[in-house]
Amino acid sequence: MRCSLRQSGTLTPQLQIPTEDDEIERFPRDIDVKGGIEMLPSPSSSLRVSSLLFFLALSLIGAGYGGDPYVFYQWEVGYVSASPLGVKQQVRTTHFSSLFPEGRILKLDASARVIAINGQFPGPILSATTNWNVVVNILNRLDEPFLVTWNGLQHRKNSWQDGVLGTNCPIPSGWNWTYEFQVKDQIGSFFYIPSINFQKAAGGYGGIIVNNRNVIPLPFGLPDGDITILISDWYIKDFKDLRKIIEDGNDLGVPDGVVINGLGPFRYNESIVPEGITYATITVDPGKTYRFRVHNVGFSTSLNFRIQNHNLLLVETEGSYTVQQNYTNMDIHVGQSYSFLVTMDQNTASDYYIVASARFVNSTTRDRLTGVALLHYSSSQGPASGPLPDGPDEGDTYFSVNQARSIRWNVSAGAARPNPQGSFRYGEITVTDVYVLVNTPAEVINGQMRNTLNGISYIAPSTPLKLAQQFNIPGVYKLDFPNRMMNRPAKVDTSIINGTYKGFMEIIFQNNDTMIQSYHMDGYAFFVVGMDYGTWTENSRGTYNKWDGVARSTIQVYPGAWTAILVYLDNVGIWNLRAENLETWYRGQEVYISVSNPEDSSNKTELPLPNDSIFCGELSSLQG
């Protein structure tokens, strides 16, 4: 079985393709730009009316501004039936029900639930242009609270919209809440994910595209099409069962497979892939060049991405244009995004494999953890056949490190602004703060299995940090996170980093665990200046790249190795720094960085508390 992607249309229902030069017609049906609202059907007439009135009001506000355009999305988050690996999702119960407004009861065979947005898994692509204002109204039809975070969007002056427990109260079941933010001074390829309750394990994710303004040219020719690919390891167990396994102190074990755009592998080998699995097919035209935006939205598995017989010309990663280099394959670690130009220059006699296979595992595990889709030329005469294209040699431990080092910033290209990216000479700025963040294998703390940074396992308070800061509530958190590993027992705490506004911070991630980790920082793009095996020392700075280290928001750290980044703290707010590995993130491997401007008394460097904020914890009494 296959699910086809038309060049000018969509992968039904997984994929929507905007084009770079079409700023209105590229949007899917559930959004509108500035003008009248086109709404998707809602199961409740009163919800339809209230949502329509809400969006009409917002559209009038947007039309009244003389500034940047508004784009509106209406998202309904709920469960749908799906079997990405050909096996229904396994859960403990035979059914569940959730009571929503007006007595509507959502019933679903719980043996097959994933989290979808507007009935789509993966969710719809969020598409905007630099400096546009984005409004996303989310109706939570799950049976538990929900939050979504926007991996890579910086939310300038506006950590209120970050969608993590340090900044937001969750959206209760049956409620709706509206995110409103500006994609200020950004371009590139990003994605969104659920951020709480291990819900990312059930889906709920989708791609984000931020296009260049017309006044700033792309540093490459305009592609003939734009294709988003979401790759992920996957478990057939229900996310609540997986969550319980983690809470009981156990490991999840090896995933059951790899999905591409929410679909299982093409049956490239009958002894490995069972029959009856629906797979993705991407249809292209010979001779044309397409932009592939590839995101690893998985649990913990680094995936090597490749397209049989086709070169991947790297042009962008997580909002930065790169030096343009051809790769035959690319290691994409959890939480990372890459943008390639791929030219359809091969023989059209047959289709070609698109492969995402696990890295740093043995051959048996890799066979299990290999996702396969098809690249289908519109004039192709038959399906792909034969062995998959080779990935990297697993015995070459330096291949991945050297590949990562080869990714460089395009210092001469303009991006969100017309001046070249390289005009920000990060290598000439004096470092004001240094943090060496050490992670170690999980350990038992207070009777629970936890993960730590510098010996501290973060625990989220009932009152979000940002709200506690806004209302001066004492005792919610401490600004005492250590800048190095302390000689003391590990502990669970709500300790955060006290950042200096407009300071220049050096962060070294030291991975003393036995598995690869990747770390993401909300609110910023940081400069990747160095990585190597061994223990970081002061002398390691002599190897730093101080000219064209790429600026991005997620970086890998190899086991027994270190990675160094530099970040300019010019974005006021409280920002999450987390492990992208879902197990270690859930077990406390995260911290927040507070960046305050003590001289700002008029909200010039930070936007005020949103009027529709949800209150919880010690502020529950403020909820109307």
Side-chain angles (χ1 to χ4, degrees):
M1 300 173 65
R2 74 178 187 180
C3 193
S4 182
L5 168 67
R6 301 181 301 276
Q7 174 206 337
S8 59
T10 62
L11 173 66
T12 308
Q14 281 76 24
L15 201 59
Q16 294 165 330
I17 306 177
T19 60
E20 289 280 356
D21 58 341
D22 185 349
E23 295 199 343
I24 300 295
E25 294 302 322
R26 63 179 170 219
F27 294 109
R29 289 189 65 244
D30 56 345
I31 64 171
D32 183 61
V33 180
K34 264 193 168 181
I37 307 301
E38 184 176 5
M39 300 294 296
L40 287 176
S42 170
S44 162
S45 59
S46 69
L47 286 174
R48 270 202 309 271
V49 173
S50 62
S51 296
L52 181 59
L53 292 174
F54 172 80
F55 275 94
L56 285 173
L58 281 178
S59 67
L60 291 174
I61 293 171
Y65 288 139
D68 298 301
Y70 275 70
V71 57
F72 301 99
Y73 286 82
Q74 172 78 4
W75 285 0
E76 183 172 315
V77 180
Y79 298 114
V80 299
S81 296
S83 305
L85 295 176
V87 179
K88 287 187 175 183
Q89 298 302 107
Q90 298 175 353
V91 296
R92 292 163 293 177
T93 57
T94 58
H95 76 278
F96 70 95
S97 64
S98 299
L99 188 63
F100 292 104
E102 301 180 353
R104 174 177 181 255
I105 297 178
L106 175 65
K107 290 184 177 179
L108 179 68
D109 177 1
S111 65
R113 62 181 178 189
V114 300
I115 295 176
I117 297 174
N118 294 344
Q120 299 181 44
F121 168 66
I125 292 174
L126 188 155
S127 188
T129 296
T130 302
N131 295 341
W132 281 20
N133 298 285
V134 179
V135 181
V136 185
N137 185 45
I138 290 182
L139 174 61
N140 177 16
R141 290 203 178 278
L142 302 179
D143 57 347
E144 62 181 33
F146 176 80
L147 272 179
V148 63
T149 191
W150 319 90
N151 227 64
L153 296 188
Q154 295 177 15
H155 302 298
R156 304 292 300 177
K157 307 180 184 180
N158 196 9
S159 64
W160 300 111
Q161 308 296 323
D162 201 27
V164 288
L165 287 177
T167 57
N168 297 87
C169 296
I171 306 169
S173 176
W175 287 36
N176 73 286
W177 191 71
T178 303
Y179 290 87
E180 183 174 357
F181 52 85
Q182 186 180 29
V183 285
K184 181 69 174 173
D185 291 339
Q186 285 195 266
I187 56 92
S189 309
F190 313 100
F191 60 86
Y192 57 86
I193 54 172
S195 65
I196 63 171
N197 294 341
F198 221 72
Q199 291 165 352
K200 180 185 172 188
Y205 52 68
I208 299 174
I209 297 173
V210 182
N211 295 291
N212 280 52
R213 293 178 290 167
N214 288 336
V215 296
I216 301 177
L218 293 167
F220 45 82
L222 186 68
D224 296 298
D226 200 310
I227 298 168
T228 291
I229 294 182
L230 299 153
I231 57 178
S232 171
D233 49 1
W234 190 260
Y235 292 86
I236 62 173
K237 281 186 170 63
D238 183 76
F239 77 97
K240 292 186 179 182
D241 290 322
L242 296 172
R243 187 168 72 197
K244 183 68 163 51
I245 291 171
I246 296 297
E247 291 171 350
D248 288 345
N250 300 309
D251 293 328
L252 296 181
V254 178
D256 294 300
V258 169
V259 296
I260 298 178
N261 285 342
L263 299 174
F266 169 77
R267 200 179 191 198
Y268 68 95
N269 185 318
E270 293 183 0
S271 66
I272 296 174
V273 182
E275 61 182 351
I277 294 179
T278 302
Y279 57 88
T281 296
I282 296 176
T283 300
V284 294
D285 289 332
K288 293 189 175 181
T289 297
Y290 297 81
R291 184 171 181 173
F292 281 68
R293 304 177 192 258
V294 188
H295 313 271
N296 186 336
V297 293
F299 292 74
S300 59
T301 304
S302 297
L303 295 170
N304 182 266
F305 180 81
R306 54 200 184 273
I307 302 177
Q308 184 182 26
N309 293 356
H310 290 74
N311 283 323
L312 309 173
L313 180 64
L314 179 65
V315 294
E316 178 257 333
T317 179
E318 297 165 21
S320 286
Y321 289 124
T322 63
V323 173
Q324 295 177 22
Q325 301 179 76
N326 273 311
Y327 295 86
T328 56
N329 62 78
M330 176 64 70
D331 282 350
I332 305 180
H333 307 279
V334 179
Q336 292 186 334
S337 302
Y338 287 95
S339 190
F340 307 100
L341 295 184
V342 183
T343 299
M344 304 305 138
D345 55 4
Q346 297 299 301
N347 191 299
T348 61
S350 66
D351 298 339
Y352 295 89
Y353 295 124
I354 299 173
V355 181
S357 60
R359 292 284 276 125
F360 318 120
V361 296
N362 60 43
S363 58
T364 302
T365 302
R366 188 164 55 255
D367 285 344
R368 177 177 176 175
L369 297 183
T370 296
V372 183
L374 290 186
L375 183 72
H376 173 71
Y377 281 47
S378 57
S379 55
S380 171
Q381 302 302 306
S385 61
L388 299 179
D390 291 333
D393 178 3
E394 289 297 333
D396 185 354
T397 57
Y398 268 91
F399 172 88
S400 191
V401 174
N402 290 333
Q403 184 183 71
R405 288 171 175 164
S406 73
I407 300 169
R408 300 300 180 96
W409 209 25
N410 186 338
V411 296
S412 62
R417 296 183 177 185
N419 51 304
Q421 292 180 139
S423 59
F424 186 83
R425 300 182 183 276
Y426 69 89
E428 299 176 5
I429 302 175
T430 301
V431 170
T432 58
D433 299 281
V434 179
Y435 280 80
V436 181
L437 303 182
V438 179
N439 78 283
T440 55
E443 59 184 300
V444 176
I445 307 174
N446 300 337
Q448 289 187 315
M449 190 67 72
R450 305 288 297 183
N451 288 88
T452 63
L453 286 173
N454 285 1
I456 297 177
S457 184
Y458 179 83
I459 186 166
S462 60
T463 307
L465 309 173
K466 189 64 189 159
L467 285 174
Q469 182 189 67
Q470 174 75 17
F471 288 90
N472 297 314
I473 301 174
V476 173
Y477 63 90
K478 295 175 284 188
L479 290 167
D480 64 351
F481 192 88
N483 62 0
R484 278 173 169 73
M485 190 77 165
M486 305 291 283
N487 185 21
R488 64 187 184 190
K491 64 178 181 177
V492 175
D493 206 352
T494 309
S495 174
I496 71 175
I497 294 172
N498 189 10
T500 303
Y501 178 57
K502 292 194 174 180
F504 200 55
M505 184 177 286
E506 177 184 11
I507 300 176
I508 300 96
F509 298 101
Q510 179 71 52
N511 184 2
N512 290 347
D513 202 344
T514 58
M515 60 183 181
I516 191 168
Q517 293 284 355
S518 51
Y519 293 95
H520 175 82
M521 187 174 184
D522 287 346
Y524 293 95
F526 49 70
F527 298 94
V528 183
V529 293
M531 62 176 61
D532 205 351
Y533 286 102
T535 300
W536 181 90
T537 68
E538 303 280 342
N539 293 332
S540 301
R541 292 192 177 106
T543 68
Y544 283 7
N545 176 356
K546 295 188 175 182
W547 168 240
D548 61 357
V550 71
R552 61 187 311 166
S553 58
T554 307
I555 191 62
Q556 74 272 24
V557 191
Y558 298 94
W562 58 269
T563 297
I565 65 171
L566 299 173
V567 57
Y568 181 52
L569 300 180
D570 64 339
N571 192 13
V572 172
I574 292 183
W575 303 104
N576 188 224
L577 176 61
R578 62 178 175 270
E580 288 281 34
N581 179 308
L582 190 55
E583 286 187 60
T584 55
W585 180 15
Y586 193 72
R587 285 175 171 161
Q589 195 168 105
E590 62 178 324
V591 67
Y592 284 82
I593 301 176
S594 176
V595 181
S596 300
N597 179 6
E599 299 179 359
D600 182 13
S601 59
S602 57
N603 295 122
K604 290 183 178 180
T605 55
E606 183 174 27
L607 295 178
L609 174 74
N611 292 329
D612 65 342
S613 292
I614 298 174
F615 295 100
C616 55
E618 296 189 40
L619 296 171
S620 296
S621 61
L622 298 181
Q623 188 64 49

